[in-house]
Structures are given as structure tokens and as C-alpha cells.
């Protein structure tokens, strides 16, 4: 009973069930029983009916049912020979069941160690009964092809047997002596049990064959116990495989995240870290020390944030801005978030480089350059010279000064310069220095620290220079910048660093500066409203943009460009130009330059009728320009009149000279290459009178030098 209890445990059967199933073997394992079953097997093969003898010995019901199946399969019990499958098919099966073989081998070797020397054979097959592996005593295996790799032991090929019948019934079986359908196996006893994967699917069978008189009631229990060990190991391996997959998935997520990500324990040792965090913190994983928990984070980050305090508090930290000082001396400007881990009392930490955050913000809020040199319309020599100089500026990262009247396209040129250089992938931040209140300009440009003034944010706020880090900042109307801001701007230009308003520490910035103005900076320098040292720092490369009145030859192509642009937006056909329209546009002085031209064309397209733009569709500033008040001295010089004439006699003549007067000044400037003294002498007026006239007509003398 002790033996049967052990077998029951191995087979997952109750003791009464096992007694009923195997009680017959108490009287069966002898020569007499063997002879009786052999006689009944012969009667079955001969097609005769048989009945049990007086002791009730007969083939068990499941054996008798298997005999019937074997007969239906056409198995000849007297001529069964081992059948080996094709080599190609065997190779595929061995590959698909490699895990089963690997896991089963140690179990089979352990089982064989208990029966070695008993002329027994242990067979592992796949779910179709094809032998994958076999081990046994030399005298049983040597030269015996019946137990070789690739031999099929299904009921269809060899009839009733341990492997084939166990697979068919999907339960452990013991086939004894003449219970085998094939006569060649009548000297054996086979104990077999199917092997299942963790989902319950049959993937193989384990069989122990021995001489018929060596079998014992616990042999099948040993086989079943071995199968249970194999199935348990399969489950363990599946769990491990799933855990490995989860770890790989976690590592994949770790590396996929664009931020630096790391975990630390309560002793501040780094337990995991992704490549992004290694790069930010300049850490190299020497021999796995970093990810192996052998490096403490406070040994590498020596200033900027106290992780020990965060671990002790157990509170979350969200987007805290900090400048980390690494053990190597480098400064890293980051946004840090930390979340406590309750199980390990450590932290999950994310590091986001401020530069990358601002680059992303700029991308979404529109701080980028859209214009290139291809968007600049015109072919006049003056414009082509400006484009040539701008392309030279684009090929370098040096500071550039753009000079030009309002509406000449200074920001378009600035964007084209940015997009024409290596910084084109970085942000482009434009600031109009004349549009910002003087008291707010510094905080807008350089940012402000926490508590710098009433209402300042908790974390402070970055300025335009920090937002433009890695790219270009365009400072329009630089001549309107107050002197206090000019001092800080000079620091940025010279040291490549920014100190926020109310802040203590400098922050490194890598920004290319493009400044622009429509005012005369040299005059501002002489009036002490603009710093001379800042002027020379900004004016490394100068690009002069000609006003529209100096490039009238481009007027036609500009009009065509704006007509197409406006009509495309309105989804209508381009209108024609009536006689006199182009002439009127050519005669106009264009104080608003390209911007004014675009507005006038857009208005004309909206108000014109019948698909034709007439002179009446142009704005009154074109058809009826306001009179220009000309200095009496200049009017007298051009008219040749005696300067003793009354002012009332001169003004009507001056009004008729408004266009020729402008052309006279421009022509004299060109002849004298922008020299004010010689130009005034040529025109016969005082230099003060000429300066006044230059301001009135918005003529930039640098364009003529």
C-alpha cells in the first residue's frame, strides 16, 4: 500500500482509483497470466471470440479498444518493423521541440540512474509518437534500430504500445507483454505518460520499457513523476521567459523615452539608467558598475539638487529646474522630476535637458524661420548685392547687422540667413525691441529668477536668449534698446552666457545674433544713446537692404508675385491692369516699401470690378500723394530764384519739385559715394539742411557709400 500511495501521488489519482486500475497486476505479473493473455491475443488476431478464464484474466477494456483501432489502421501484428521518418522532417521536428528535449534530458538522466543495469530503455517522443531521444542499457540499445531517433511509435504504425496508446488516450498507461498489438513487443512492459505544455496541450510522451517480468506497479508512477517534473520546469521556464520579455519590454521603454530616466534606491545608488541619462550626466557604465547599483548618484552630481532630501521627504518633485554640477566640473541645465518608489524606498527620476525642451516648445509655438533666399523676389543689382552678402552671413555663425527702412524685408532676410546656415534646425526667435516696454525688455530678453519681482513665477522664467539656445535670435529695431539692456546684451555677446533678472548664476547659451534697425546707429552713438562697443560687436557683417524706390525695376515682378499670392488666397483669377496703373505705381515714392506695396495690391484686388484693376482702385496715397514740404533753401537752390523771394512764392514751386528733389538728393549721394559734406556742396545747401531732408525722405546714406 505504501508503494501504491506513492504512485497515486505521482499520477494525481486517488488510492481507490489506482487500486481498481492496477489490482489485476497483483496476479498478472507471472508466466501463467502472460500465457492466458497471449492466447486471447491470438484468438483476436485470428478473428475468434474469446472469453475471460476462470480467474477473470483478460485484456483490459482500453487495451481491447486499442487492438480494435490497430486492426482498423491495417497494422499487421506479425510484420511490424520500425519505420523511420524522412531526415528533413526529423530535422524540423527536433528544432520545434528543442526546448522540450533540453528540459527533459536532466529529468530522464535522473530517472535512468535509478534503473541503470535493468536492461531498460527510456524514450522521449513528440506528440505524434516520433522518438526525439532515447537512453538505455547498452545491450538493449546497441544495434537496435527500433529505438533510434526518428522512429514513429503511434498506434497507426505499430498498434497498441505505451507511447501511441498514452498519446491517443491522453493519460498515463501501462502496456504489459501480450497486451502489445505487435508480436515483436510481447517481451516488454511499457509505462508511458503524455507531456503537456503550460496551456495543457500535448507536446510529447515519456516511456519506460523493460522486460515483461521486470515491471512493477510503481514503474508507471516513476514515469508520471518524471513527466510532472518536466511539465513543472516548462511552466517555470514560461514564467521566466515572460519575465525576461517584461524586462526587455521595460528596457525598450526605458530607451524609447526621450528623457533621461534612472532609478535609485534609498541609499542613492543607481539601480537602472537609460542611455539618454548616461549622456546627460556623462556617465560611462564601466563593467556594469552604474546599472549594477555600485554608483551613488550624489557621487556624480555634486551640486544643484539634493536627492537625499527628496528620498527622505517621500514627496514628488515635478519639473524642478536645476543647474547640475557634475563631478567632472561640467554644468548641465535640466528639468528634474522624481517619484518615490514605495517598495524600495527609492526614486524614479527623469532628466530633461532645458535646451531640448525649449527646442520642442519653439517648434510648437511657431518660433521658427519659414523664409529662405528663394522667397526673396527681385533681380535688381541693389537687391542681388544684398542677397550675396546675406548668403555669406548665412554660411557663418557670426553676428550680423541688417540696415534698411521699415518694410524692406529685414525679418525675411534674417530668416533666410538662419535657414541658410548650420543652425537651420534650431529655433528662430524674433524680438521687436521697439515694441516692448523699456522696463520689461530685460526680463523678456534675459528672463527672470524666482522672486525677482512681485508676481514672478515660482520657478522663474527663461528669456528669449534661452529659448533661442542652439539657434538664432533676431533683434529688430536694435536702436530702440535702452542703455541698461545694452550692457547685458554686450555680456551675452562677449561671454555667451545669460544672467536672469534677479538671478545669481550665469547660464550658458549658444545663440547667433542678427540685429536690424532703420535708424542711424552712428548718430545714436554720437548722441550717447547707443553703445559704441556693442555696435562693433553686432556689426561684424552688414547687409544693407535697398528701399523700393531704389529698385523700381523690381516693381513689376513684385506686383505679379503679390497678385498671385492674394488671388490664390481668395481662390479667384488674377485681374488685369488698366492703362496708367503701372505708371502711377512707378511714380510713387513708396515710403512704406515692400510692405506698403503688398497692402495696396491686396486692396486693389478686393475692390476692383470686372477683373480689371484701374487707377481708381488704387488708394488715395498713390493717386493723390500728400504735398511734401520742401525747405526753402533747397527749393531756391534748385529753382535758381533769388533767395530774397517771399516764402509764399516759393512753396508752390516746391510742391512741383517733390519727386525731382528726392531724385536730386539720391543722385548726389551716389555721385559722392555717400559723403555728406560733398553732397551738400553739390546741392548748395548746409549739411544740417541735408540731414533734415535725409530724415524726412528716410534715406539711408550707408546704402550709397
Amino acid at each position: 500500500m505504501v508503494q501504491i500511495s506513492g504512485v497515486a501521488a505521482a499520477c494525481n489519482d486517488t488510492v481507490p482509483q489506482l487500486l481498481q486500475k492496477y489490482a489485476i497486476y497483483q496476479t498478472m505479473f507471472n508466466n501463467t497470466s502472460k500465457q492466458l493473455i497471449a492466447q486471447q491475443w491470438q484468438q483476436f488476431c485470428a478473428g475468434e471470440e474469446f472469453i475471460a478464464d476462470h480467474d477473470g484474466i483478460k485484456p483490459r477494456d482500453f487495451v481491447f479498444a486499442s487492438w480494435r483501432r490497430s486492426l482498423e489502421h491495417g497494422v499487421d501484428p506479425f510484420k511490424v518493423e520500425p519505420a523511420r521518418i524522412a531526415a528533413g522532417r526529423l530535422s524540423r521536428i527536433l528544432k520545434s521541440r528543442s526546448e522540450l528535449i533540453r528540459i527533459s534530458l536532466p529529468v530522464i538522466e535522473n530517472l535512468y540512474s535509478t534503473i541503470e543495469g535493468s536492461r531498460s530503455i527510456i524514450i522521449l517522443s513528440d506528440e505524434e509518437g516520433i522518438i526525439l531521444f532515447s537512453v538505455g542499457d547498452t545491450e538493449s540499445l546497441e544495434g537496435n534500430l527500433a529505438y533510434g531517433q526518428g522512429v514513429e511509435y503511434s498506434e497507426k504504425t505499430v498498434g497498441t504500445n505505451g507511447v501511441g496508446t498514452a498519446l491517443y488516450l491522453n493519460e498515463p498507461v501501462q502496456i504489459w507483454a501480450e497486451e502489445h498489438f505487435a508480436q515483436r513487443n510481447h517481451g516488454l512492459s511499457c509505462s508511458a505518460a503524455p507531456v503537456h505544455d503550460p496551456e495543457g496541450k500535448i507536446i510529447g510522451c515519456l516511456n519506460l520499457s523493460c522486460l515483461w517480468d521486470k515491471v512493477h506497479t510503481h514503474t508507471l508512477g516513476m514515469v508520471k513523476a518524471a513527466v510532472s517534473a518536466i511539465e513543472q520546469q516548462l511552466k517555470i521556464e514560461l514564467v521566466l521567459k515572460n519575465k525576461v520579455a517584461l524586462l526587455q519590454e521595460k528596457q525598450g521603454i526605458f530607451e524609447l523615452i526621450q528623457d533621461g530616466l534612472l532609478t535609485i534606491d534609498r541609499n542613492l545608488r543607481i539601480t537602472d539608467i537609460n542611455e539618454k541619462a548616461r549622456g546627460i550626466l556623462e556617465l560611462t557604465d564601466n563593467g556594469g558598475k552604474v546599472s549594477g547599483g555600485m554608483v551613488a548618484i550624489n557621487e556624480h552630481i555634486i551640486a544643484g539638487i539634493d536627492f537625499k532630501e527628496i528620498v527622505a521627504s517621500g514627496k514628488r518633485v515635478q519639473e524642478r529646474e536645476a543647474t547640475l554640477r557634475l563631478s567632472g566640473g561640467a554644468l548641465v541645465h535640466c528639468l528634474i522630476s522624481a517619484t518615490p518608489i514605495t517598495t524600495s524606498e527609492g526614486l524614479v527620476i527623469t532628466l530633461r535637458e532645458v535646451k531640448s525642451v525649449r527646442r520642442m516648445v519653439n517648434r510648437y509655438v511657431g518660433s521658427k524661420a519659414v523664409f529662405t533666399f528663394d522667397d526673396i523676389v527681385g533681380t535688381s543689382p541693389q537687391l542681388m548685392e544684398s542677397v550675396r552678402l546675406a548668403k555669406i552671413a548665412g554660411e557663418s555663425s557670426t553676428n550680423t547687422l541688417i540696415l534698411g527702412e521699415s518694410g524692406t524685408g529685414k525679418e525675411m532676410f534674417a530668416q533666410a540667413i538662419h535657414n541658410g546656415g548650420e543652425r537651420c534646425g534650431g529655433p528662430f526667435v524674433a524680438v521687436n525691441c521697439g515694441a516692448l516696454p523699456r522696463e520689461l525688455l530685460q526680463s523678456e530678453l534675459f528672463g527672470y529668477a524666482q522672486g525677482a519681482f512681485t508676481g514672478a513665477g515660482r520657478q522663474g522664467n527663461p528669456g528669449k536668449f534661452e529659448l533661442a539656445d542652439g539657434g538664432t535670435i533676431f533683434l529688430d529695431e536694435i536702436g530702440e534698446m535702452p542703455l541698461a539692456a545694452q550692457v547685458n546684451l554686450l555680456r551675452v555677446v562677449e561671454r555667451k552666457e545669460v544672467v536672469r533678472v534677479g538671478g545669481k548664476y550665469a547660464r550658458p547659451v549658444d545663440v547667433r545674433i542678427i540685429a536690424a534697425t532703420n535708424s542711424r546707429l552712428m548718430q545714436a552713438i554720437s548722441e550717447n544713446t547707443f553703445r559704441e562697443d556693442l555696435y562693433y560687436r553686432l556689426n561684424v557683417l552688414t547687409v544693407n537692404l535697398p528701399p523700393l524706390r531704389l529698385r523700381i525695376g523690381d516693381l513689376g515682378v513684385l506686383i505679379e508675385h503679390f497678385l498671385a499670392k492674394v488671388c490664390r488666397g481668395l481662390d479667384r483669377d488674377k485681374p488685369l491692369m488698366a492703362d496708367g496703373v503701372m505708371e502711377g505705381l512707378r511714380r510713387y515714392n513708396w515710403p512704406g516699401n515692400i510692405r506698403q506695396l503688398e497692402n495696396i495690391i491686396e486692396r486693389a484686388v478686393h475692390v476692383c470690378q470686372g477683373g480689371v484693376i484701374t487707377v481708381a482702385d488704387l488708394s488715395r496715397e498713390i493717386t493723390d500723394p500728400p504735398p511734401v514740404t520742401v525747405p526753402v533753401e533747397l527749393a531756391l537752390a534748385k529753382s535758381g530764384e533769388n533767395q530774397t523771394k517771399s516764402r509764399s512764392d516759393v512753396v508752390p514751386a516746391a510742391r512741383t519739385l517733390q519727386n525731382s528733389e528726392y531724385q536730386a538728393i539720391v543722385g548726389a549721394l551716389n555721385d559722392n559715394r555717400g559723403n555728406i559734406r560733398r553732397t551738400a556742396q553739390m546741392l548748395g545747401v548746409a549739411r544740417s539742411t541735408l540731414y533734415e531732408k535725409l530724415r524726412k525722405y528716410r534715406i539711408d546714406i550707408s546704402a550709397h557709400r
Side-chain angles (χ1 to χ4, degrees):
M1 182 63 69
V2 173
Q3 291 175 341
I4 290 181
S5 299
V7 174
C11 297
N12 295 324
D13 287 333
T14 63
V15 172
Q17 288 173 330
L18 202 62
L19 285 172
Q20 181 180 2
K21 184 179 290 187
Y22 299 111
I24 188 171
Y25 289 118
Q26 301 300 319
T27 58
M28 186 173 179
F29 293 160
N30 56 64
N31 193 52
T32 302
S33 300
K34 184 177 185 301
Q35 290 177 357
L36 289 172
I37 294 178
Q39 181 181 354
Q40 294 166 353
W41 173 81
Q42 291 173 352
Q43 292 173 345
F44 178 83
C45 292
E48 301 174 2
E49 293 187 6
F50 62 87
I51 59 174
D53 73 327
H54 62 280
D55 291 326
I57 297 177
K58 67 173 184 177
R60 289 164 291 173
D61 292 342
F62 77 89
V63 173
F64 188 68
S66 177
W67 285 359
R68 289 185 179 278
R69 291 193 301 273
S70 302
L71 201 60
E72 291 171 358
H73 291 317
V75 178
D76 187 338
F78 303 102
K79 296 182 180 180
V80 170
E81 290 296 334
R84 188 183 301 273
I85 64 172
R89 181 185 173 195
L90 176 61
S91 178
R92 291 191 295 271
I93 291 174
L94 291 175
K95 184 176 181 180
S96 65
R97 288 288 173 250
S98 59
E99 184 180 34
L100 173 63
I101 296 171
R102 177 179 58 81
I103 292 174
S104 300
L105 282 179
V107 178
I108 292 174
E109 290 173 356
N110 184 56
L111 176 61
Y112 178 69
S113 66
T114 64
I115 62 169
E116 188 175 3
S118 63
R119 298 184 64 189
S120 301
I121 298 172
I122 300 174
I123 293 172
L124 176 68
S125 78
D126 72 349
E127 67 275 17
E128 296 180 357
I130 297 168
I131 295 178
L132 304 174
F133 176 80
S134 61
V135 62
D137 295 334
T138 305
E139 61 270 22
S140 301
L141 284 178
E142 202 166 295
N144 196 336
L145 299 178
Y147 307 115
Q149 196 176 59
V151 175
E152 184 176 349
Y153 267 87
S154 66
E155 283 191 343
K156 293 179 181 180
T157 58
V158 298
T160 307
N161 71 94
V163 172
T165 304
L167 290 172
Y168 179 84
L169 297 176
N170 192 18
E171 64 178 31
V173 298
Q174 198 165 44
I175 307 297
W176 180 70
E178 272 73 6
E179 287 183 331
H180 290 89
F181 191 68
Q183 187 179 31
R184 71 186 311 277
N185 294 325
H186 285 179
L188 300 175
S189 175
C190 297
S191 302
V195 181
H196 303 86
D197 67 9
E199 296 179 354
K201 180 183 176 182
I202 298 177
I203 58 173
C205 183
L206 186 66
N207 177 82
L208 192 157
S209 296
C210 61
L211 297 177
W212 71 270
D213 57 347
K214 302 297 183 182
V215 70
H216 198 278
T217 54
H218 64 226
T219 305
L220 183 61
M222 293 169 60
V223 173
K224 179 57 178 158
V227 168
S228 295
I230 293 171
E231 291 178 341
Q232 186 65 27
Q233 189 62 33
L234 285 170
K235 291 178 181 177
I236 292 172
E237 295 249 344
L238 179 63
V239 171
L240 289 175
K241 188 183 296 182
N242 290 338
K243 286 187 176 181
V244 169
L246 285 173
L247 287 173
Q248 291 175 340
E249 182 178 333
K250 170 199 163 189
Q251 194 61 35
I253 294 172
F254 242 57
E255 299 301 337
L256 183 64
I257 293 174
Q258 296 298 309
D259 299 334
L261 188 62
L262 67 152
T263 57
I264 61 174
D265 61 18
R266 61 181 177 181
N267 296 317
L268 307 186
R269 290 190 299 267
I270 299 173
T271 55
D272 211 343
I273 184 170
N274 67 356
E275 286 297 327
K276 184 68 174 179
R278 283 196 185 97
I280 294 173
L281 299 178
E282 299 181 359
L283 278 168
T284 55
D285 198 3
N286 296 326
K289 290 183 179 179
V290 174
S291 55
M294 300 176 66
V295 174
I297 193 169
N298 60 342
E299 294 175 0
H300 196 71
I301 301 176
I302 58 178
I305 192 166
D306 190 346
F307 288 107
K308 187 175 183 180
E309 178 186 350
I310 299 173
V311 170
S313 68
K315 296 180 180 179
R316 294 184 63 186
V317 172
Q318 192 71 24
E319 298 288 330
R320 179 181 295 180
E321 190 172 352
T323 300
L324 307 179
R325 186 178 297 278
L326 307 182
S327 57
L331 295 177
V332 181
H333 196 193
C334 287
L335 292 176
I336 298 176
S337 297
T339 300
I341 307 173
T342 55
T343 53
S344 66
E345 300 180 6
L347 294 173
V348 175
I349 302 168
T350 62
L351 303 171
R352 305 177 68 189
E353 288 183 287
V354 170
K355 182 185 296 185
S356 63
V357 173
R358 288 171 184 159
R359 189 180 299 119
M360 181 179 66
V361 171
N362 287 329
R363 187 186 308 131
Y364 286 104
V365 302
S367 296
K368 59 182 180 180
V370 296
F371 294 113
T372 67
F373 288 112
D374 293 335
D375 296 307
I376 298 174
V377 179
T379 58
S380 65
Q382 299 93 328
L383 180 66
M384 289 298 96
E385 175 62 13
S386 300
V387 171
R388 185 185 72 83
L389 293 172
K391 287 182 177 180
I392 293 174
E395 293 172 356
S396 70
S397 290
T398 190
N399 297 330
T400 303
L401 182 63
I402 301 176
L403 301 175
E405 297 179 7
S406 178
T408 51
K410 293 188 291 296
E411 183 166 352
M412 175 180 279
F413 265 79
Q415 292 190 20
I417 291 171
H418 171 79
N419 282 329
E422 59 183 14
R423 294 176 179 266
C424 59
F428 178 88
V429 178
V431 181
N432 190 323
C433 301
L436 291 171
R438 299 173 72 88
E439 62 274 10
L440 296 180
L441 181 62
Q442 293 212 62
S443 60
E444 280 293 315
L445 287 177
F446 312 117
Y448 57 83
Q450 177 182 352
F453 50 82
T454 303
R458 263 185 87 185
Q459 300 290 336
N461 204 58
K464 301 298 185 184
F465 272 93
E466 290 182 62
L467 294 177
D469 195 15
T472 300
I473 189 167
F474 174 56
L475 302 176
D476 198 7
E477 297 188 29
I478 188 71
E480 303 298 322
M481 180 178 288
L483 282 170
Q486 292 178 34
V487 174
N488 287 330
L489 177 57
L490 185 62
R491 179 190 182 96
V492 177
V493 174
E494 292 181 338
R495 302 188 183 182
K496 301 293 184 182
E497 61 184 24
V498 169
V499 178
R500 292 183 179 180
V501 175
K504 299 179 181 178
Y505 304 105
R507 302 167 187 267
V509 290
D510 176 23
V511 179
R512 189 256 182 90
I513 300 174
I514 300 178
T517 182
N518 60 6
S519 63
R520 285 158 293 281
L521 291 182
M522 293 306 296
Q523 183 177 343
I525 292 171
S526 66
E527 295 172 354
N528 293 322
T529 58
F530 198 86
R531 293 180 62 98
E532 185 174 11
D533 50 0
L534 178 60
Y535 170 77
Y536 289 116
R537 286 290 189 180
L538 296 177
N539 190 24
V540 180
L541 286 174
T542 304
V543 179
N544 287 286
L545 302 188
L548 182 56
R549 57 184 171 272
L550 291 184
R551 45 182 290 221
I552 291 298
D554 288 333
L555 191 64
V557 68
L558 285 168
I559 290 172
E560 287 296 317
H561 172 75
F562 291 134
L563 280 174
K565 177 182 176 181
V566 174
C567 293
R568 187 167 54 249
L570 296 175
D571 194 21
R572 65 171 64 172
D573 294 333
K574 188 167 61 174
L576 301 175
M577 289 277 194
D579 294 339
V581 173
M582 185 59 73
E583 183 61 28
L585 294 173
R586 287 184 183 278
R587 286 199 310 265
Y588 185 60
N589 195 40
W590 297 109
N593 291 291
I594 311 298
R595 185 184 297 117
Q596 183 186 15
L597 174 62
E598 182 176 7
N599 292 340
I600 287 173
I601 296 300
E602 184 175 359
R603 177 187 183 279
V605 172
H606 278 87
V607 302
C608 73
Q609 297 179 354
V612 178
I613 296 176
T614 66
V615 174
D617 297 323
L618 302 177
S619 61
R620 291 192 60 186
E621 58 187 312
I622 302 294
T623 59
D624 187 18
V628 178
T629 303
V630 181
V632 174
E633 296 85 352
L634 185 59
L636 290 175
K638 293 301 294 179
S639 63
E641 296 288 340
N642 192 303
Q643 293 199 18
T644 58
K645 275 192 173 184
S646 67
R647 183 177 296 270
S648 61
D649 294 331
V650 174
V651 171
R655 291 177 179 175
T656 64
L657 294 174
Q658 56 181 302
N659 289 325
S660 60
E661 178 184 59
Y662 170 79
Q663 296 297 334
I665 296 173
V666 170
L669 283 171
N670 284 332
D671 292 341
N672 293 284
R673 297 186 178 182
N675 187 291
I676 294 296
R677 182 178 60 81
R678 289 199 300 268
T679 300
Q681 289 176 347
M682 178 178 286
L683 294 174
V685 296
R687 279 189 293 179
S688 60
T689 302
L690 181 56
Y691 273 123
E692 181 183 350
K693 198 60 186 165
L694 291 175
R695 283 195 295 272
K696 189 172 294 295
Y697 280 107
R698 298 180 180 177
I699 297 175
D700 185 2
I701 60 173
S702 61
H704 305 277
R705 286 175 174 167

